[in-house]
PDB file of all heavy atoms in Angstrom:
ATOM      1  N   LEU T   1      -8.558   7.130   5.383  1.00  0.00           N
ATOM      2  CA  LEU T   1      -7.317   7.893   5.397  1.00  0.00           C
ATOM      3  C   LEU T   1      -7.103   8.538   6.757  1.00  0.00           C
ATOM      4  O   LEU T   1      -8.029   9.073   7.364  1.00  0.00           O
ATOM      5  CB  LEU T   1      -7.337   8.978   4.316  1.00  0.00           C
ATOM      6  CG  LEU T   1      -7.403   8.493   2.860  1.00  0.00           C
ATOM      7  CD1 LEU T   1      -7.449   9.689   1.915  1.00  0.00           C
ATOM      8  CD2 LEU T   1      -6.232   7.594   2.526  1.00  0.00           C
ATOM      9  N   ASN T   2      -5.851   8.515   7.230  1.00  0.00           N
ATOM     10  CA  ASN T   2      -5.461   9.133   8.489  1.00  0.00           C
ATOM     11  C   ASN T   2      -5.008  10.568   8.255  1.00  0.00           C
ATOM     12  O   ASN T   2      -4.147  10.825   7.401  1.00  0.00           O
ATOM     13  CB  ASN T   2      -4.311   8.350   9.133  1.00  0.00           C
ATOM     14  CG  ASN T   2      -4.804   7.188   9.969  1.00  0.00           C
ATOM     15  OD1 ASN T   2      -5.527   7.375  10.933  1.00  0.00           O
ATOM     16  ND2 ASN T   2      -4.407   5.990   9.596  1.00  0.00           N
ATOM     17  N   PHE T   3      -5.555  11.507   9.024  1.00  0.00           N
ATOM     18  CA  PHE T   3      -5.143  12.902   8.967  1.00  0.00           C
ATOM     19  C   PHE T   3      -4.580  13.304  10.328  1.00  0.00           C
ATOM     20  O   PHE T   3      -5.212  13.055  11.364  1.00  0.00           O
ATOM     21  CB  PHE T   3      -6.319  13.815   8.616  1.00  0.00           C
ATOM     22  CG  PHE T   3      -6.828  13.642   7.215  1.00  0.00           C
ATOM     23  CD1 PHE T   3      -7.742  12.643   6.908  1.00  0.00           C
ATOM     24  CD2 PHE T   3      -6.387  14.473   6.199  1.00  0.00           C
ATOM     25  CE1 PHE T   3      -8.223  12.484   5.624  1.00  0.00           C
ATOM     26  CE2 PHE T   3      -6.864  14.326   4.902  1.00  0.00           C
ATOM     27  CZ  PHE T   3      -7.776  13.325   4.612  1.00  0.00           C
ATOM     28  N   LEU T   4      -3.406  13.925  10.317  1.00  0.00           N
ATOM     29  CA  LEU T   4      -2.786  14.393  11.553  1.00  0.00           C
ATOM     30  C   LEU T   4      -3.532  15.611  12.072  1.00  0.00           C
ATOM     31  O   LEU T   4      -3.811  16.553  11.317  1.00  0.00           O
ATOM     32  CB  LEU T   4      -1.317  14.744  11.304  1.00  0.00           C
ATOM     33  CG  LEU T   4      -0.493  15.143  12.527  1.00  0.00           C
ATOM     34  CD1 LEU T   4      -0.302  13.937  13.442  1.00  0.00           C
ATOM     35  CD2 LEU T   4       0.859  15.706  12.099  1.00  0.00           C
ATOM     36  N   LEU T   5      -3.846  15.597  13.367  1.00  0.00           N
ATOM     37  CA  LEU T   5      -4.535  16.733  13.970  1.00  0.00           C
ATOM     38  C   LEU T   5      -3.576  17.914  14.117  1.00  0.00           C
ATOM     39  O   LEU T   5      -2.383  17.728  14.408  1.00  0.00           O
ATOM     40  CB  LEU T   5      -5.102  16.358  15.336  1.00  0.00           C
ATOM     41  CG  LEU T   5      -6.532  15.801  15.353  1.00  0.00           C
ATOM     42  CD1 LEU T   5      -6.619  14.477  14.610  1.00  0.00           C
ATOM     43  CD2 LEU T   5      -7.009  15.616  16.801  1.00  0.00           C
ATOM     44  N   PRO T   6      -4.058  19.143  13.929  1.00  0.00           N
ATOM     45  CA  PRO T   6      -3.206  20.323  14.094  1.00  0.00           C
ATOM     46  C   PRO T   6      -2.610  20.384  15.505  1.00  0.00           C
ATOM     47  O   PRO T   6      -3.225  19.947  16.480  1.00  0.00           O
ATOM     48  CB  PRO T   6      -4.167  21.495  13.843  1.00  0.00           C
ATOM     49  CG  PRO T   6      -5.279  20.908  13.025  1.00  0.00           C
ATOM     50  CD  PRO T   6      -5.427  19.493  13.487  1.00  0.00           C
ATOM     51  N   ASN T   7      -1.383  20.902  15.601  1.00  0.00           N
ATOM     52  CA  ASN T   7      -0.669  21.062  16.871  1.00  0.00           C
ATOM     53  C   ASN T   7      -0.460  19.731  17.586  1.00  0.00           C
ATOM     54  O   ASN T   7      -0.455  19.658  18.811  1.00  0.00           O
ATOM     55  CB  ASN T   7      -1.404  22.033  17.806  1.00  0.00           C
ATOM     56  CG  ASN T   7      -1.595  23.407  17.192  1.00  0.00           C
ATOM     57  OD1 ASN T   7      -0.753  23.870  16.417  1.00  0.00           O
ATOM     58  ND2 ASN T   7      -2.704  24.046  17.522  1.00  0.00           N
ATOM     59  N   SER T   8      -0.291  18.688  16.804  1.00  0.00           N
ATOM     60  CA  SER T   8      -0.127  17.365  17.395  1.00  0.00           C
ATOM     61  C   SER T   8       1.053  16.661  16.742  1.00  0.00           C
ATOM     62  O   SER T   8       1.401  16.923  15.584  1.00  0.00           O
ATOM     63  CB  SER T   8      -1.400  16.539  17.209  1.00  0.00           C
ATOM     64  OG  SER T   8      -1.170  15.187  17.528  1.00  0.00           O
ATOM     65  N   ILE T   9       1.650  15.739  17.497  1.00  0.00           N
ATOM     66  CA  ILE T   9       2.729  14.921  16.954  1.00  0.00           C
ATOM     67  C   ILE T   9       2.198  13.605  16.417  1.00  0.00           C
ATOM     68  O   ILE T   9       2.592  13.140  15.349  1.00  0.00           O
ATOM     69  CB  ILE T   9       3.809  14.655  18.028  1.00  0.00           C
ATOM     70  CG1 ILE T   9       4.501  15.961  18.414  1.00  0.00           C
ATOM     71  CG2 ILE T   9       4.829  13.650  17.527  1.00  0.00           C
ATOM     72  CD1 ILE T   9       5.531  15.804  19.510  1.00  0.00           C
ATOM     73  N   SER T  10       1.270  12.986  17.154  1.00  0.00           N
ATOM     74  CA  SER T  10       0.829  11.644  16.770  1.00  0.00           C
ATOM     75  C   SER T  10      -0.684  11.449  16.792  1.00  0.00           C
ATOM     76  O   SER T  10      -1.150  10.364  16.455  1.00  0.00           O
ATOM     77  CB  SER T  10       1.479  10.604  17.697  1.00  0.00           C
ATOM     78  OG  SER T  10       1.119  10.841  19.046  1.00  0.00           O
ATOM     79  N   ASP T  11      -1.463  12.456  17.173  1.00  0.00           N
ATOM     80  CA  ASP T  11      -2.921  12.309  17.198  1.00  0.00           C
ATOM     81  C   ASP T  11      -3.471  12.407  15.776  1.00  0.00           C
ATOM     82  O   ASP T  11      -3.112  13.312  15.015  1.00  0.00           O
ATOM     83  CB  ASP T  11      -3.557  13.390  18.073  1.00  0.00           C
ATOM     84  CG  ASP T  11      -3.202  13.221  19.544  1.00  0.00           C
ATOM     85  OD1 ASP T  11      -2.882  12.089  19.940  1.00  0.00           O
ATOM     86  OD2 ASP T  11      -3.242  14.219  20.279  1.00  0.00           O
ATOM     87  N   THR T  12      -4.354  11.488  15.424  1.00  0.00           N
ATOM     88  CA  THR T  12      -4.898  11.451  14.069  1.00  0.00           C
ATOM     89  C   THR T  12      -6.403  11.272  14.102  1.00  0.00           C
ATOM     90  O   THR T  12      -6.986  10.892  15.126  1.00  0.00           O
ATOM     91  CB  THR T  12      -4.279  10.307  13.249  1.00  0.00           C
ATOM     92  OG1 THR T  12      -4.645   9.053  13.841  1.00  0.00           O
ATOM     93  CG2 THR T  12      -2.774  10.419  13.185  1.00  0.00           C
ATOM     94  N   ARG T  13      -7.028  11.502  12.959  1.00  0.00           N
ATOM     95  CA  ARG T  13      -8.452  11.233  12.779  1.00  0.00           C
ATOM     96  C   ARG T  13      -8.630  10.574  11.406  1.00  0.00           C
ATOM     97  O   ARG T  13      -7.974  10.955  10.436  1.00  0.00           O
ATOM     98  CB  ARG T  13      -9.270  12.514  12.878  1.00  0.00           C
ATOM     99  CG  ARG T  13     -10.785  12.294  12.901  1.00  0.00           C
ATOM    100  CD  ARG T  13     -11.482  13.521  13.481  1.00  0.00           C
ATOM    101  NE  ARG T  13     -11.041  13.742  14.860  1.00  0.00           N
ATOM    102  CZ  ARG T  13     -11.098  14.933  15.475  1.00  0.00           C
ATOM    103  NH1 ARG T  13     -11.583  15.985  14.847  1.00  0.00           N
ATOM    104  NH2 ARG T  13     -10.685  15.050  16.724  1.00  0.00           N
ATOM    105  N   VAL T  14      -9.497   9.582  11.339  1.00  0.00           N
ATOM    106  CA  VAL T  14      -9.704   8.819  10.109  1.00  0.00           C
ATOM    107  C   VAL T  14     -10.984   9.295   9.433  1.00  0.00           C
ATOM    108  O   VAL T  14     -12.032   9.415  10.077  1.00  0.00           O
ATOM    109  CB  VAL T  14      -9.783   7.306  10.402  1.00  0.00           C
ATOM    110  CG1 VAL T  14     -10.074   6.529   9.116  1.00  0.00           C
ATOM    111  CG2 VAL T  14      -8.480   6.816  11.027  1.00  0.00           C
ATOM    112  N   PHE T  15     -10.888   9.553   8.131  1.00  0.00           N
ATOM    113  CA  PHE T  15     -12.039   9.941   7.328  1.00  0.00           C
ATOM    114  C   PHE T  15     -12.125   9.023   6.104  1.00  0.00           C
ATOM    115  O   PHE T  15     -11.098   8.612   5.551  1.00  0.00           O
ATOM    116  CB  PHE T  15     -11.919  11.391   6.845  1.00  0.00           C
ATOM    117  CG  PHE T  15     -11.962  12.415   7.936  1.00  0.00           C
ATOM    118  CD1 PHE T  15     -10.799  12.844   8.562  1.00  0.00           C
ATOM    119  CD2 PHE T  15     -13.171  12.964   8.346  1.00  0.00           C
ATOM    120  CE1 PHE T  15     -10.827  13.795   9.566  1.00  0.00           C
ATOM    121  CE2 PHE T  15     -13.210  13.919   9.353  1.00  0.00           C
ATOM    122  CZ  PHE T  15     -12.039  14.336   9.968  1.00  0.00           C
ATOM    123  N   ASN T  16     -13.369   8.716   5.680  1.00  0.00           N
ATOM    124  CA  ASN T  16     -13.586   7.995   4.418  1.00  0.00           C
ATOM    125  C   ASN T  16     -13.634   9.004   3.279  1.00  0.00           C
ATOM    126  O   ASN T  16     -14.679   9.278   2.698  1.00  0.00           O
ATOM    127  CB  ASN T  16     -14.898   7.199   4.463  1.00  0.00           C
ATOM    128  CG  ASN T  16     -14.855   6.075   5.470  1.00  0.00           C
ATOM    129  OD1 ASN T  16     -15.209   6.252   6.633  1.00  0.00           O
ATOM    130  ND2 ASN T  16     -14.412   4.907   5.010  1.00  0.00           N
ATOM    131  N   SER T  17     -12.472   9.556   2.955  1.00  0.00           N
ATOM    132  CA  SER T  17     -12.453  10.668   2.010  1.00  0.00           C
ATOM    133  C   SER T  17     -11.594  10.398   0.791  1.00  0.00           C
ATOM    134  O   SER T  17     -11.346  11.303   0.002  1.00  0.00           O
ATOM    135  CB  SER T  17     -11.942  11.937   2.709  1.00  0.00           C
ATOM    136  OG  SER T  17     -10.669  11.706   3.277  1.00  0.00           O
ATOM    137  N   GLY T  18     -11.159   9.179   0.624  1.00  0.00           N
ATOM    138  CA  GLY T  18     -10.254   8.903  -0.474  1.00  0.00           C
ATOM    139  C   GLY T  18     -10.826   7.928  -1.492  1.00  0.00           C
ATOM    140  O   GLY T  18     -11.676   7.097  -1.182  1.00  0.00           O
ATOM    141  N   SER T  19     -10.360   8.052  -2.714  1.00  0.00           N
ATOM    142  CA  SER T  19     -10.614   7.059  -3.757  1.00  0.00           C
ATOM    143  C   SER T  19      -9.303   6.859  -4.496  1.00  0.00           C
ATOM    144  O   SER T  19      -8.486   7.777  -4.614  1.00  0.00           O
ATOM    145  CB  SER T  19     -11.730   7.503  -4.697  1.00  0.00           C
ATOM    146  OG  SER T  19     -11.378   8.721  -5.332  1.00  0.00           O
ATOM    147  N   ALA T  20      -9.106   5.647  -5.003  1.00  0.00           N
ATOM    148  CA  ALA T  20      -7.803   5.330  -5.573  1.00  0.00           C
ATOM    149  C   ALA T  20      -7.952   4.271  -6.647  1.00  0.00           C
ATOM    150  O   ALA T  20      -8.960   3.553  -6.722  1.00  0.00           O
ATOM    151  CB  ALA T  20      -6.845   4.848  -4.486  1.00  0.00           C
ATOM    152  N   THR T  21      -6.930   4.167  -7.472  1.00  0.00           N
ATOM    153  CA  THR T  21      -6.838   3.095  -8.459  1.00  0.00           C
ATOM    154  C   THR T  21      -5.473   2.436  -8.335  1.00  0.00           C
ATOM    155  O   THR T  21      -4.469   3.094  -8.015  1.00  0.00           O
ATOM    156  CB  THR T  21      -7.029   3.617  -9.893  1.00  0.00           C
ATOM    157  OG1 THR T  21      -6.040   4.617 -10.170  1.00  0.00           O
ATOM    158  CG2 THR T  21      -8.414   4.201 -10.076  1.00  0.00           C
ATOM    159  N   LEU T  22      -5.455   1.138  -8.577  1.00  0.00           N
ATOM    160  CA  LEU T  22      -4.220   0.375  -8.599  1.00  0.00           C
ATOM    161  C   LEU T  22      -4.234  -0.481  -9.859  1.00  0.00           C
ATOM    162  O   LEU T  22      -5.279  -1.033 -10.232  1.00  0.00           O
ATOM    163  CB  LEU T  22      -4.076  -0.538  -7.377  1.00  0.00           C
ATOM    164  CG  LEU T  22      -4.147   0.061  -5.985  1.00  0.00           C
ATOM    165  CD1 LEU T  22      -5.571  -0.034  -5.450  1.00  0.00           C
ATOM    166  CD2 LEU T  22      -3.210  -0.688  -5.046  1.00  0.00           C
ATOM    167  N   SER T  23      -3.099  -0.609 -10.488  1.00  0.00           N
ATOM    168  CA  SER T  23      -2.989  -1.481 -11.649  1.00  0.00           C
ATOM    169  C   SER T  23      -1.584  -2.049 -11.695  1.00  0.00           C
ATOM    170  O   SER T  23      -0.640  -1.474 -11.145  1.00  0.00           O
ATOM    171  CB  SER T  23      -3.305  -0.717 -12.939  1.00  0.00           C
ATOM    172  OG  SER T  23      -2.411   0.373 -13.110  1.00  0.00           O
ATOM    173  N   GLY T  24      -1.454  -3.186 -12.372  1.00  0.00           N
ATOM    174  CA  GLY T  24      -0.133  -3.775 -12.444  1.00  0.00           C
ATOM    175  C   GLY T  24      -0.144  -5.133 -13.096  1.00  0.00           C
ATOM    176  O   GLY T  24      -1.180  -5.632 -13.560  1.00  0.00           O
ATOM    177  N   ILE T  25       1.033  -5.731 -13.120  1.00  0.00           N
ATOM    178  CA  ILE T  25       1.197  -7.086 -13.642  1.00  0.00           C
ATOM    179  C   ILE T  25       2.031  -7.893 -12.653  1.00  0.00           C
ATOM    180  O   ILE T  25       2.844  -7.336 -11.903  1.00  0.00           O
ATOM    181  CB  ILE T  25       1.872  -7.097 -15.035  1.00  0.00           C
ATOM    182  CG1 ILE T  25       3.261  -6.442 -14.963  1.00  0.00           C
ATOM    183  CG2 ILE T  25       1.003  -6.417 -16.070  1.00  0.00           C
ATOM    184  CD1 ILE T  25       4.051  -6.591 -16.240  1.00  0.00           C
ATOM    185  N   GLU T  26       1.823  -9.191 -12.656  1.00  0.00           N
ATOM    186  CA  GLU T  26       2.579 -10.120 -11.810  1.00  0.00           C
ATOM    187  C   GLU T  26       2.964 -11.331 -12.641  1.00  0.00           C
ATOM    188  O   GLU T  26       2.100 -11.969 -13.256  1.00  0.00           O
ATOM    189  CB  GLU T  26       1.738 -10.524 -10.592  1.00  0.00           C
ATOM    190  CG  GLU T  26       1.518  -9.376  -9.638  1.00  0.00           C
ATOM    191  CD  GLU T  26       0.288  -9.491  -8.762  1.00  0.00           C
ATOM    192  OE1 GLU T  26      -0.555 -10.366  -9.044  1.00  0.00           O
ATOM    193  OE2 GLU T  26       0.155  -8.693  -7.809  1.00  0.00           O
ATOM    194  N   LEU T  27       4.247 -11.617 -12.683  1.00  0.00           N
ATOM    195  CA  LEU T  27       4.780 -12.673 -13.540  1.00  0.00           C
ATOM    196  C   LEU T  27       5.581 -13.654 -12.696  1.00  0.00           C
ATOM    197  O   LEU T  27       6.375 -13.249 -11.842  1.00  0.00           O
ATOM    198  CB  LEU T  27       5.658 -12.061 -14.635  1.00  0.00           C
ATOM    199  CG  LEU T  27       6.341 -12.986 -15.635  1.00  0.00           C
ATOM    200  CD1 LEU T  27       6.516 -12.269 -16.972  1.00  0.00           C
ATOM    201  CD2 LEU T  27       7.717 -13.454 -15.137  1.00  0.00           C
ATOM    202  N   GLU T  28       5.371 -14.948 -12.943  1.00  0.00           N
ATOM    203  CA  GLU T  28       6.126 -16.008 -12.280  1.00  0.00           C
ATOM    204  C   GLU T  28       6.536 -17.024 -13.338  1.00  0.00           C
ATOM    205  O   GLU T  28       5.740 -17.376 -14.217  1.00  0.00           O
ATOM    206  CB  GLU T  28       5.276 -16.727 -11.221  1.00  0.00           C
ATOM    207  CG  GLU T  28       4.340 -15.841 -10.407  1.00  0.00           C
ATOM    208  CD  GLU T  28       5.062 -15.040  -9.357  1.00  0.00           C
ATOM    209  OE1 GLU T  28       6.214 -15.393  -9.034  1.00  0.00           O
ATOM    210  OE2 GLU T  28       4.488 -14.056  -8.874  1.00  0.00           O
ATOM    211  N   ALA T  29       7.770 -17.498 -13.269  1.00  0.00           N
ATOM    212  CA  ALA T  29       8.226 -18.503 -14.226  1.00  0.00           C
ATOM    213  C   ALA T  29       9.242 -19.417 -13.566  1.00  0.00           C
ATOM    214  O   ALA T  29      10.102 -18.967 -12.802  1.00  0.00           O
ATOM    215  CB  ALA T  29       8.842 -17.847 -15.459  1.00  0.00           C
ATOM    216  N   SER T  30       9.140 -20.723 -13.862  1.00  0.00           N
ATOM    217  CA  SER T  30      10.106 -21.725 -13.423  1.00  0.00           C
ATOM    218  C   SER T  30      10.473 -22.569 -14.630  1.00  0.00           C
ATOM    219  O   SER T  30       9.608 -22.942 -15.431  1.00  0.00           O
ATOM    220  CB  SER T  30       9.514 -22.632 -12.344  1.00  0.00           C
ATOM    221  OG  SER T  30       9.219 -21.907 -11.180  1.00  0.00           O
ATOM    222  N   ALA T  31      11.754 -22.882 -14.761  1.00  0.00           N
ATOM    223  CA  ALA T  31      12.171 -23.670 -15.920  1.00  0.00           C
ATOM    224  C   ALA T  31      13.435 -24.448 -15.611  1.00  0.00           C
ATOM    225  O   ALA T  31      14.355 -23.933 -14.954  1.00  0.00           O
ATOM    226  CB  ALA T  31      12.410 -22.770 -17.126  1.00  0.00           C
ATOM    227  N   PHE T  32      13.480 -25.689 -16.065  1.00  0.00           N
ATOM    228  CA  PHE T  32      14.713 -26.450 -16.091  1.00  0.00           C
ATOM    229  C   PHE T  32      15.486 -26.028 -17.339  1.00  0.00           C
ATOM    230  O   PHE T  32      15.086 -26.320 -18.466  1.00  0.00           O
ATOM    231  CB  PHE T  32      14.425 -27.952 -16.143  1.00  0.00           C
ATOM    232  CG  PHE T  32      14.202 -28.569 -14.794  1.00  0.00           C
ATOM    233  CD1 PHE T  32      12.932 -28.923 -14.374  1.00  0.00           C
ATOM    234  CD2 PHE T  32      15.269 -28.794 -13.944  1.00  0.00           C
ATOM    235  CE1 PHE T  32      12.719 -29.490 -13.135  1.00  0.00           C
ATOM    236  CE2 PHE T  32      15.074 -29.362 -12.704  1.00  0.00           C
ATOM    237  CZ  PHE T  32      13.803 -29.717 -12.287  1.00  0.00           C
ATOM    238  N   LEU T  33      16.611 -25.349 -17.147  1.00  0.00           N
ATOM    239  CA  LEU T  33      17.454 -24.962 -18.268  1.00  0.00           C
ATOM    240  C   LEU T  33      18.312 -26.124 -18.733  1.00  0.00           C
ATOM    241  O   LEU T  33      18.790 -26.129 -19.867  1.00  0.00           O
ATOM    242  CB  LEU T  33      18.328 -23.767 -17.878  1.00  0.00           C
ATOM    243  CG  LEU T  33      17.551 -22.536 -17.380  1.00  0.00           C
ATOM    244  CD1 LEU T  33      18.507 -21.400 -17.069  1.00  0.00           C
ATOM    245  CD2 LEU T  33      16.507 -22.099 -18.394  1.00  0.00           C
ATOM    246  N   SER T  34      18.520 -27.067 -17.834  1.00  0.00           N
ATOM    247  CA  SER T  34      19.150 -28.341 -18.149  1.00  0.00           C
ATOM    248  C   SER T  34      18.732 -29.300 -17.058  1.00  0.00           C
ATOM    249  O   SER T  34      18.010 -28.933 -16.125  1.00  0.00           O
ATOM    250  CB  SER T  34      20.677 -28.209 -18.220  1.00  0.00           C
ATOM    251  OG  SER T  34      21.225 -28.049 -16.914  1.00  0.00           O
ATOM    252  N   SER T  35      19.189 -30.557 -17.152  1.00  0.00           N
ATOM    253  CA  SER T  35      18.816 -31.520 -16.121  1.00  0.00           C
ATOM    254  C   SER T  35      19.410 -31.167 -14.770  1.00  0.00           C
ATOM    255  O   SER T  35      18.975 -31.676 -13.742  1.00  0.00           O
ATOM    256  CB  SER T  35      19.270 -32.919 -16.528  1.00  0.00           C
ATOM    257  OG  SER T  35      20.686 -32.954 -16.669  1.00  0.00           O
ATOM    258  N   LYS T  36      20.395 -30.268 -14.742  1.00  0.00           N
ATOM    259  CA  LYS T  36      21.053 -29.893 -13.494  1.00  0.00           C
ATOM    260  C   LYS T  36      20.769 -28.455 -13.065  1.00  0.00           C
ATOM    261  O   LYS T  36      21.225 -28.038 -12.005  1.00  0.00           O
ATOM    262  CB  LYS T  36      22.576 -30.074 -13.630  1.00  0.00           C
ATOM    263  CG  LYS T  36      23.033 -31.515 -13.762  1.00  0.00           C
ATOM    264  CD  LYS T  36      24.547 -31.587 -13.860  1.00  0.00           C
ATOM    265  CE  LYS T  36      25.021 -33.028 -13.900  1.00  0.00           C
ATOM    266  NZ  LYS T  36      24.768 -33.707 -12.610  1.00  0.00           N
TER     267      LYS T  36
END
């Protein structure tokens, strides 16, 4: 994770201080509804 340094516009420091979860679904479908 990037943390902005105090009194700074763009200076940052990276720490391994985060944990997270992600979940979801992904769906794909193709079909001929008619010959055309």
Side-chain angles (χ1 to χ4, degrees):
L1 296 179
N2 274 299
F3 292 84
L4 185 68
L5 270 64
N7 302 327
S8 168
I9 294 177
S10 60
D11 293 336
T12 64
R13 188 160 299 157
V14 177
F15 294 90
N16 294 90
S17 56
S19 60
T21 58
L22 304 94
S23 60
I25 59 172
E26 292 156 348
L27 179 150
E28 322 284 343
S30 296
F32 275 105
L33 304 182
S34 73
S35 61
K36 292 181 176 292

